[in-house]
């Protein structure tokens, strides 16, 4: 029974299994010709709808109230949009000995992304940290990432062959920012309906992401870029991903208590500052990078996402149990 319980706790996220299955389908049955055009159009519409929902879900009042805890939020934002990108730039030193240029670009893109929202909040709650702060910081990160991620990508990489161009800015504004702002405006009318249908809309979110994955990997298969990826390169990517995660985790765990944060705030900082958003990253990649290369660009993010979930799940359970054992919080049933 104990072994079964342990297996249940450590099982792979079903969403990740869905992504892996979608990658398999795309490799075996890639969209070609008119089918590829239809898939690309559906993907573009889906990305717009996704960011519309992000805007409609984010409570402006909660975000403004969260500004009061500015030191905590600033610490998380520095980790997300300064520390991670600086470490990402260092990855260029590993080309071509460890990573291919495309995989290195994918790692750098990963480092520019905002933090996750749902899992950051969930892990902070399990570890008995400051949940309210995690909600605000994760929301701020997602909101600011709509602007900062494309800017950081443009400064670090060539996304269109000419660097950070006007075309890149226009694409981001039209496909990401405009739908998000529209969602914020529409929130006053549809906010209640969205709150009442969270599960249904959550499935819609994941469906859009699966469509994006299928389109991106289909383009990669048709372009023949998967022949460039060896098992050695994949192993190197895994090592680099884990090195990035533990480097940021270590810095935050060392710095947070020395900056005078409480135990609860430290937990929120660690979980929000060390994670990257798959939900935001996949749609952004389709806007920022040329067709055919997106599949390999998002591969580091997909691997990083699963690793961060597994590692953070273990840490959250351990820290939550420690808090209960020390009597810092009531024991759960």
């Amino acid at each position: 029974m104990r072994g079964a319980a342990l297996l249940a706790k450590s099982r792979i996220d079903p969403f990740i299994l869905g992504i892996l299955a979608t990658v398999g389908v795309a490799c075996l049955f890639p969209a070609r010709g008119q089918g590829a055009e239809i898939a690309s159009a559906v993907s573009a519409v889906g990305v717009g709808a996704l960011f519309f929902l992000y805007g409609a879900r984010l409570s402006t009042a909660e975000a403004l109230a969260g500004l009061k805890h500015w030191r905590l939020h600033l610490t998380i934002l520095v980790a997300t949009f300064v520390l991670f990108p600086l470490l990402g730039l260092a990855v260029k030193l590993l080309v071509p000995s460890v990573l291919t240029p495309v995989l290195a670009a994918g790692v750098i893109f990963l480092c520019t992304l905002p933090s996750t929202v749902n899992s950051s909040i969930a892990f902070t709650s399990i570890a008995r940290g400051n949940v309210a702060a995690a909600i605000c910081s994760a929301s701020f990160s997602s909101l600011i990432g709509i602007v900062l991620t494309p800017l950081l990508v443009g400064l670090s990489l060539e996304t269109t062959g000419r660097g950070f161009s006007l075309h890149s800015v226009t694409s981001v504004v039209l496909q990401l920012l405009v739908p998000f702002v529209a969602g914020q405006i529409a929130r006053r009318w549809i906010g209640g309906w969205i709150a009442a249908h969270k599960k249904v809309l959550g499935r819609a979110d994941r469906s859009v992401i699966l469509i994006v994955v299928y389109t991106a990997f289909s383009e990669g298969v048709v372009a023949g870029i998967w022949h460039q990826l060896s098992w050695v390169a994949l192993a190197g990517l895994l090592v680099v991903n884990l090195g990035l995660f533990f480097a940021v985790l270590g810095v935050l765990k060392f710095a947070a208590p020395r900056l005078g944060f409480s135990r609860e705030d430290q937990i929120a900082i660690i979980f929000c500052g060390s994670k990257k958003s798959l939900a935001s990253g996949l749609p952004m990649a389709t806007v920022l990078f040329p067709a055919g290369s997106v599949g390999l660009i998002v591969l580091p993010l997909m691997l990083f996402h699963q690793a961060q979930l597994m590692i953070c799940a273990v840490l959250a359970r351990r820290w939550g149990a420690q808090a209960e054992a020390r009597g810092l919080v009531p024991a759960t049933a």
Side-chain angles (χ1 to χ4, degrees):
M1 292 295 292
R2 187 175 181 181
L6 182 60
L7 181 62
K9 288 182 179 179
S10 61
R11 70 181 185 276
I12 297 177
D13 184 349
F15 183 40
I16 295 296
L17 292 178
I19 289 178
L20 294 176
T22 302
V23 170
V25 172
C27 291
L28 294 174
F29 308 103
R32 301 176 184 271
Q34 188 175 4
E37 294 178 3
I38 294 173
S40 180
V42 172
S43 177
V45 172
V47 168
L50 199 63
F51 277 81
F52 175 83
L53 291 176
Y54 289 163
R57 286 173 182 163
L58 178 62
S59 170
T60 306
E62 288 181 359
L64 292 176
L67 285 173
K68 297 176 182 178
H69 210 345
W70 65 270
R71 286 183 63 249
L72 181 144
H73 304 318
L74 180 62
T75 301
I76 293 173
L77 291 176
V78 167
T80 302
F81 296 113
V82 178
L83 176 58
F84 255 115
L86 288 176
L87 291 173
L89 289 177
V91 168
K92 291 183 177 181
L93 299 175
L94 302 178
V95 179
S97 59
V98 178
L99 297 176
T100 65
V102 177
L103 289 181
V107 172
I108 293 172
F109 170 64
L110 150 73
C111 289
T112 67
L113 289 172
S115 177
T116 60
V117 178
N118 292 338
S119 58
S120 293
I121 296 168
F123 288 136
T124 300
S125 176
I126 293 170
R128 303 309 186 89
N130 189 337
V131 176
I135 292 173
C136 292
S137 284
S139 299
F140 289 156
S141 182
S142 294
L143 176 61
I144 296 173
I146 294 176
V147 176
L148 275 186
T149 292
L151 178 61
L152 290 171
V153 169
L155 293 173
S156 306
L157 298 169
E158 293 187 353
T159 59
T160 63
R162 298 183 301 276
F164 194 62
S165 66
L166 180 61
H167 174 72
S168 300
V169 177
T170 304
S171 296
V172 169
V173 170
L174 293 179
Q175 294 190 48
L176 306 182
L177 190 57
V178 169
F180 183 89
V181 173
Q184 277 280 285
I185 295 172
R187 177 178 169 78
R188 61 181 298 182
W189 297 289
I190 65 175
W193 182 85
I194 286 178
H197 297 82
K198 284 183 178 179
K199 290 186 178 180
V200 175
L201 293 176
R203 296 190 188 100
D205 281 0
R206 296 189 171 203
S207 297
V208 169
I209 291 174
L210 291 179
I211 292 172
V212 170
V213 170
Y214 175 76
T215 304
F217 277 78
S218 289
E219 291 170 347
V221 170
V222 173
I225 62 175
W226 295 110
H227 297 297
Q228 305 171 17
L229 184 63
S230 67
W231 288 107
V232 174
L234 185 59
L237 175 60
L238 289 172
V239 171
V240 170
N241 270 355
L242 290 174
L244 275 173
F245 180 81
F246 282 112
V248 174
L249 192 75
V251 168
L252 294 177
K253 201 169 187 318
F254 175 83
R258 287 161 178 80
L259 292 173
F261 290 107
S262 66
R263 174 193 175 277
E264 291 76 14
D265 288 348
Q266 291 174 36
I267 289 173
I269 288 170
I270 288 171
F271 284 129
C272 293
S274 65
K275 298 169 75 249
K276 293 294 182 177
S277 175
L278 181 73
S280 296
L282 290 177
M284 283 187 178
T286 65
V287 177
L288 294 171
F289 296 98
S293 66
V294 176
L296 283 179
I297 289 289
V298 300
L299 183 60
L301 172 60
M302 291 169 59
L303 296 177
F304 187 91
H305 179 80
Q306 181 58 33
Q308 72 183 7
L309 288 180
M310 296 173 67
I311 296 168
C312 287
V314 173
L315 293 176
R317 289 196 297 269
R318 178 183 300 171
W319 292 342
Q322 290 175 350
E324 293 178 3
R326 296 172 184 172
L328 300 177
V329 295
T332 56

